[in-house]
């Protein structure tokens, strides 16, 4: 009889733990999400800017992109009509900010070809003459 009471208590505890875990997961929804390519460079993203010194519009990434030819700079919500809005990101990047916790690589050609540039976590800077207005793809490293 003692054994069956223990089994019932353990079962009840397991059901409670699962219920609390499910509640915690269901409340961690969109508020914690980060949107890629919304014109806002948030923590955990990598941003490419139309102008030097992080000026103009930004293209923000959560994951690598094989070809920037199909990506445009978005209007930054804090600006009214930022410079470069609607321009292709491909071969139009003058600066960047790595707000991610991992290394990012940029390439002068699509599909991670051409010259590679390494941008460590937290790096902010202007593209060198090798990369200014020549970046065509990117990749991040875990």
């Amino acid at each position: 009889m003692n054994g069956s009471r223990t089994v019932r208590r353990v079962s009840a505890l397991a059901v409670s733990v699962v219920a609390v875990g499910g509640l915690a997961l269901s409340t961690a929804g969109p508020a914690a999400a980060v949107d890629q390519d919304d014109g806002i460079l948030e923590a955990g993203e990598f941003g490419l800017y139309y102008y030097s010194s992080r000026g103009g519009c930004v293209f923000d990434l959560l994951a690598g992109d094989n070809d920037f030819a199909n990506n445009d700079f978005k209007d930054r919500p804090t600006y009214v009509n930022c410079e470069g809005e609607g321009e292709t990101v491909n071969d139009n990047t003058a600066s960047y900010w790595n707000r991610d916790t991992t290394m990012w690589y940029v390439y002068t050609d699509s599909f991670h070809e051409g010259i590679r540039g390494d941008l460590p976590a937290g790096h902010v800077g202007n593209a060198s003459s090798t990369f200014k207005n020549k970046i065509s793809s990117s990749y991040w490293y875990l």
Side-chain angles (χ1 to χ4, degrees):
M1 186 157 192
N2 234 357
S4 72
R5 186 181 323 161
T6 302
V7 169
R8 282 193 306 256
R9 284 186 180 176
V10 169
S11 296
L13 178 63
V15 168
S16 297
V17 168
V18 169
V20 169
L23 178 62
L25 287 175
S26 69
T27 59
V34 175
D35 293 327
Q36 175 173 320
D37 191 25
D38 61 358
I40 303 169
L41 183 61
E42 300 168 273
E45 292 183 329
F46 176 69
L48 301 165
Y49 291 86
Y50 187 71
Y51 283 138
S52 297
S53 302
R54 294 183 290 148
C57 292
V58 65
F59 176 66
D60 51 306
L61 294 149
L62 280 171
D65 192 321
N66 289 327
D67 188 0
F68 291 152
N70 60 351
N71 301 112
D72 296 334
F73 285 101
K74 301 287 190 250
D75 190 15
R76 295 164 67 181
T78 56
Y79 285 72
V80 176
N81 299 322
C82 65
E83 293 293 322
E85 178 181 5
E87 294 290 329
T88 182
V89 176
N90 188 56
D91 294 336
N92 273 325
T93 298
S95 61
Y96 30 71
W97 185 6
N98 183 358
R99 293 201 62 198
D100 202 347
T101 57
T102 62
M103 174 78 78
W104 275 78
Y105 304 112
V106 293
Y107 299 85
T108 56
D109 293 326
S110 59
F111 295 94
H112 314 127
E113 296 290 329
I115 301 169
R116 183 182 90 185
D118 302 356
L119 304 168
H123 182 79
V124 177
N126 292 326
S128 69
S129 59
T130 302
F131 293 96
K132 186 173 183 176
N133 296 324
K134 297 176 186 169
I135 298 172
S136 296
S137 61
S138 67
Y139 181 75
W140 52 271
Y141 183 77
L142 288 176

